Amino acid sequence: MLLLNYLVHRHFYPPGNPYRSATGEPGAAYWQNRADYKIDVSLDDKTEIITGSETITYSNNSPNALSFLWLQMDQNVYKKHSKGLDAKLFLSKNGEDANFEGGFVIESIFFNSAKGTGKEAAFFINDTRMRIQLSEPLASGQKISFRIKYSYKFPRNFKNADFNVNRTDVLSTKNGDIYSVAQWYPRLCVLDDVSGWNTLPYLGNGEFYLEYGNFDVNITVPSAYIVEASGDLLNPEEVLTAIQSERWKRAMSSTEKVFIRTAEEVTDPASRPSKPFCTWKFKLSNARDFAWTASKSFVWEGVGIALPGGKKVLGSSLYPAESKLAESWERSGEYIKFTLQYFSQKWHEYPYNKAVNVASNLDGMEYPGLVFCAAKDKGNMYWAVVNHELGHTWFPMIVGSNERRHAWMDEGFNAFMDNMATKDFNGGEFIGYPEIDIPVAGLFADSLVPVMTRPDVIPGNEVYTVQYQKVAYLLTLLREQILGKEQFDFAFRKYISDWAYKHPTPWDFFSSINNSTGEDLNWFWKSMFLENYKLDQKITKVVNPKKGVYEKTQITIENMEKAAMPLWVEITFQNGDKESHNFPVEIWEQGSVYTFTTESNGAVSKVVIDPKRIFPDMKAGNNVWENK
């Protein structure tokens, strides 16, 4: 391998600008738009139709006037011949729903502001995007309000093709269906200083990129249903029985779980108010999304959680009676409590007033203050999914990266944090399970795309390997071996704090870590994230002193591939003494061959590169030299 040119030409970042500093921090002129939502929605459980009316107030904080707005219409992926269906990225689970016709039906859109009070808006729908034409430009610093009336047929039994993830669905249980309600309202696309309007279609692997705002949501369902949602419940006395309301309030301050509705009460009509419908009112502040659930079958429990900073949070768990198992959902409150306390202490305080864990037929899906986890999971798998989905609070709910383009910035970061939490949970109860379920060499296979590849372009069977496991492995390597825990943790915390409720890019992350640690890690970002380079360090020559001459030994190592890493060498002398050398990655800046001499005199009997197999060397066979 010749000179590693990416170690010489290090500056591959966009230059800093007033919006995004070269230090990886938001710039002095950083701007971000805002979308506030007031939504009235109902579920007809006979027809399985969601009907909603939403008022959106959109704030233009950009420096430019806007003549139109783009909204995400993710339910349209279930329309016949959508991009996602035609590309076979969304499929029916069993093929029985091939004739299902889903997607939003837009009844009307009217402006409510002084820019066009009462006027009907012209709009254009293209697959999972909708453009609303403004009657006159929305100037910088101004707001506009408009109302959308819509409905859609609830989709069942769809999945993302190869990755096997559905994000909204209905689970049938013995006591009633569980609705996991997400992507249920038209949402603003993000306008940013990097790509302008972010209008990539919803295809499957790429999740969401959303503006922050406040949510006021009223959900009307038949009174037999229990509803939970992302926000704070405002009217418990109207939607709960007197005993449930008392239990709900008690759960908030109880260190032990309190059953708001027991398994025995699920089939008792007296466990719900005696009226035809209930309207559940919720409020959520400074969030990027809102999700909810509804079911007649819920066992409901709550527990009060004290965060390290003193804040009190309600841990809320809802599941069918058949999931109430000791190795499964009976531990939900315990897992919520640990995850919130651990990540709040380690990285940034949990921002919401409650954390809801809902049993579903989703393999795991995250939203602000609410997650859907598999009703069937048990043991380590159940711990892993609860910890992972709640961990998404930090990425992308707090740090609002672009999941549609850069899924690794939330999935990989989260998997990295999960592995740390698992080691510390309950004395290492689940430590025996592998952090990576394939050999390390599999993370660098020739067939894999680079980490920076857009999620929808990644083959479904590579998504977990590339976006989750490889990134978690690389960040662990960076933290524990290259930078050190103290250096990395300081930098990671600062990145989270700087970009909380903002929209960082990969370049912001790379620059932030570089600047906080004082290290030029561009060699690492380039080879491990932008490319799929491999590492192969080889012992090419060992020159021992002549027999009877007490001198030093000369050792030559060659970097055979495009990736570079620090060089760690253990030397064993013929007299049994050992000597270790830890060389920094900078030794490769002058070329791919590095020669050094031992510190001690005497002939060498054995040389080993990276004796503890810390770095991802693809050819371990050339890492050992022995004088036989």
Side-chain angles (χ1 to χ4, degrees):
M1 176 63 198
L2 299 176
L3 186 67
L4 304 179
N5 59 5
Y6 61 87
L7 280 172
V8 176
H9 303 290
R10 289 176 165 229
H11 299 291
F12 60 96
Y13 297 107
N17 59 55
Y19 307 129
R20 295 172 190 270
S21 169
T23 60
E25 300 164 303
Y30 177 84
W31 58 268
Q32 188 170 300
N33 289 350
R34 179 183 180 88
D36 296 308
Y37 299 86
K38 293 184 177 181
I39 310 176
D40 293 294
V41 65
S42 63
L43 166 65
D44 184 332
D45 61 345
K46 300 294 191 298
T47 62
E48 295 198 327
I49 289 178
I50 295 278
T51 302
S53 175
E54 65 172 337
T55 297
I56 303 175
T57 301
Y58 185 70
S59 302
N60 179 21
N61 300 318
S62 79
N64 301 319
L66 307 177
S67 59
F68 54 81
L69 308 177
W70 279 105
L71 281 75
Q72 299 187 42
M73 305 282 283
D74 293 329
Q75 282 296 324
N76 287 0
V77 78
Y78 302 109
K79 282 183 174 287
K80 288 182 180 179
H81 299 296
S82 72
K83 293 176 185 289
L85 288 178
D86 281 354
K88 298 184 179 180
L89 293 172
F90 263 91
L91 303 173
S92 168
K93 283 183 181 176
N94 305 307
E96 74 274 20
D97 294 315
N99 295 318
F100 177 82
E101 180 68 28
F104 284 118
V105 176
I106 301 299
E107 178 184 328
S108 63
I109 303 178
F110 282 89
F111 294 115
N112 295 327
S113 73
K115 292 293 180 183
T117 303
K119 289 185 178 180
E120 190 165 7
F123 61 92
F124 168 75
I125 296 176
N126 177 14
D127 195 59
T128 59
R129 291 75 48 90
M130 177 169 68
R131 188 183 68 234
I132 298 179
Q133 203 68 33
L134 303 183
S135 55
E136 61 182 85
L138 180 66
S140 175
Q142 290 189 339
K143 298 180 181 181
I144 192 168
S145 177
F146 53 96
R147 185 177 77 256
I148 303 175
K149 290 187 176 181
Y150 67 94
S151 62
Y152 70 90
K153 176 80 171 177
F154 208 98
R156 280 182 182 252
N157 299 316
F158 282 84
K159 67 173 184 176
N160 172 253
D162 293 310
F163 195 40
N164 196 30
V165 170
N166 48 340
R167 298 188 177 97
T168 184
D169 210 335
V170 185
L171 171 66
S172 295
T173 76
K174 66 181 182 181
N175 293 315
D177 290 339
I178 296 175
Y179 291 86
S180 301
V181 190
Q183 296 87 58
W184 58 280
Y185 60 101
R187 304 175 293 180
L188 259 297
C189 294
V190 172
L191 176 70
D192 63 27
D193 61 289
V194 179
S195 301
W197 283 106
N198 286 264
T199 56
L200 284 175
Y202 181 43
L203 299 177
N205 289 339
E207 291 183 315
F208 311 113
Y209 186 33
L210 302 162
E211 296 289 16
Y212 290 92
N214 296 333
F215 291 82
D216 291 283
V217 179
N218 300 325
I219 303 168
T220 300
V221 294
S223 62
Y225 282 77
I226 294 283
V227 173
E228 254 289 27
S230 292
D232 300 332
L233 178 60
L234 302 180
N235 62 333
E237 69 286 345
E238 296 178 5
V239 296
L240 302 177
T241 65
I243 191 169
Q244 287 171 352
S245 183
E246 184 276 326
R247 292 170 179 171
W248 179 78
K249 292 174 183 176
R250 180 155 45 92
M252 292 184 180
S253 58
S254 174
T255 58
E256 301 294 328
K257 66 182 176 182
V258 174
F259 281 97
I260 300 165
R261 185 163 76 159
T262 68
E264 294 73 23
E265 292 169 338
V266 168
T267 56
D268 182 0
S271 71
R272 298 298 301 126
S274 57
K275 53 185 176 180
F277 297 95
C278 286
T279 297
W280 300 66
K281 299 178 181 180
F282 296 94
K283 185 176 184 65
L284 179 65
S285 300
N286 197 28
R288 71 198 288 271
D289 202 359
F290 191 102
W292 54 281
T293 186
S295 182
K296 299 175 183 179
S297 71
F298 280 143
V299 177
W300 187 9
E301 64 176 70
V303 63
I305 300 169
L307 299 184
K311 179 179 177 177
K312 299 295 178 62
V313 173
L314 174 66
S316 180
S317 304
L318 302 97
Y319 49 88
E322 50 265 46
S323 294
K324 190 177 183 296
L325 303 172
E327 71 274 29
S328 184
W329 281 82
E330 284 194 358
R331 299 190 72 178
S332 176
E334 176 190 2
Y335 295 168
I336 295 172
K337 181 178 181 179
F338 177 86
T339 300
L340 267 54
Q341 291 178 335
Y342 184 85
F343 289 148
S344 293
Q345 179 69 48
K346 193 75 183 170
W347 307 120
H348 190 284
E349 186 163 88
Y350 183 81
Y352 312 116
N353 295 327
K354 68 179 180 184
V356 182
N357 186 20
V358 182
S360 69
N361 55 345
L362 309 189
D363 291 334
M365 194 59 211
E366 70 281 356
Y367 299 94
L370 181 147
V371 298
F372 297 110
C373 295
K376 67 182 186 301
D377 281 345
K378 301 175 183 177
N380 172 65
M381 183 58 70
Y382 181 61
W383 151 257
V385 72
V386 175
N387 181 244
H388 179 81
E389 302 310 333
L390 286 172
H392 273 301
T393 301
W394 286 263
F395 302 99
M397 306 310 164
I398 294 176
V399 180
S401 56
N402 186 345
E403 296 181 279
R404 189 79 36 107
R405 289 188 183 275
H406 307 295
W408 64 271
M409 293 184 71
D410 69 290
E411 298 295 357
F413 289 5
N414 193 13
F416 157 72
M417 299 194 313
D418 296 341
N419 292 338
M420 293 176 60
T422 297
K423 292 174 183 175
D424 288 341
F425 173 69
N426 199 27
E429 178 180 351
F430 297 117
I431 261 183
Y433 295 88
E435 294 181 8
I436 301 171
D437 58 14
I438 61 173
V440 170
L443 302 178
F444 299 89
D446 289 334
S447 61
L448 292 186
V449 297
V451 168
M452 285 279 283
T453 305
R454 184 161 65 86
D456 288 315
V457 180
I458 301 175
N461 60 358
E462 293 184 14
V463 170
Y464 185 61
T465 300
V466 173
Q467 307 278 261
Y468 294 67
Q469 294 193 307
K470 186 171 184 176
V471 176
Y473 168 81
L474 292 172
L475 293 184
T476 301
L477 186 69
L478 188 64
R479 177 179 188 261
E480 297 185 357
Q481 309 302 334
I482 296 172
L483 290 174
K485 296 178 181 179
E486 185 176 351
Q487 272 273 74
F488 180 91
D489 290 357
F490 168 80
F492 204 55
R493 277 193 291 269
K494 186 177 189 306
Y495 167 72
I496 294 171
S497 177
D498 285 346
W499 290 98
Y501 312 106
K502 297 182 177 69
H503 300 312
T505 67
W507 312 110
D508 297 318
F509 172 69
F510 298 151
S511 293
S512 177
I513 301 300
N514 283 7
N515 279 272
S516 292
T517 61
E519 295 288 345
D520 187 344
L521 296 166
N522 294 357
W523 59 273
F524 187 79
W525 310 128
K526 164 72 174 175
S527 60
M528 298 289 106
F529 287 77
L530 274 71
E531 308 289 350
N532 183 34
Y533 289 164
K534 289 185 284 296
L535 176 69
D536 179 19
Q537 297 174 339
K538 177 183 179 181
I539 303 168
T540 56
K541 186 186 293 186
V542 177
V543 181
N544 270 323
K546 294 179 180 179
K547 191 173 182 179
V549 178
Y550 196 59
E551 293 180 347
K552 301 180 188 299
T553 295
Q554 188 178 78
I555 300 169
T556 299
I557 310 292
E558 186 170 354
N559 201 74
M560 306 298 293
E561 285 281 356
K562 291 184 177 181
M565 286 288 166
L567 173 63
W568 294 358
V569 182
E570 182 182 81
I571 301 163
T572 303
F573 293 88
Q574 288 183 354
N575 64 4
D577 291 346
K578 291 191 175 185
E579 182 177 299
S580 294
H581 292 258
N582 290 354
F583 298 107
V585 72
E586 282 80 5
I587 64 172
W588 305 115
E589 288 194 340
Q590 298 302 314
S592 60
V593 178
Y594 184 72
T595 300
F596 68 97
T597 56
T598 57
E599 293 180 354
S600 302
N601 292 326
V604 167
S605 62
K606 187 176 183 180
V607 179
V608 181
I609 296 174
D610 192 12
K612 294 183 179 180
R613 300 302 311 276
I614 298 297
F615 298 105
D617 197 303
M618 296 296 101
K619 294 183 180 178
N622 61 21
N623 288 0
V624 180
W625 175 91
E626 291 188 85
N627 187 8
K628 296 182 180 178

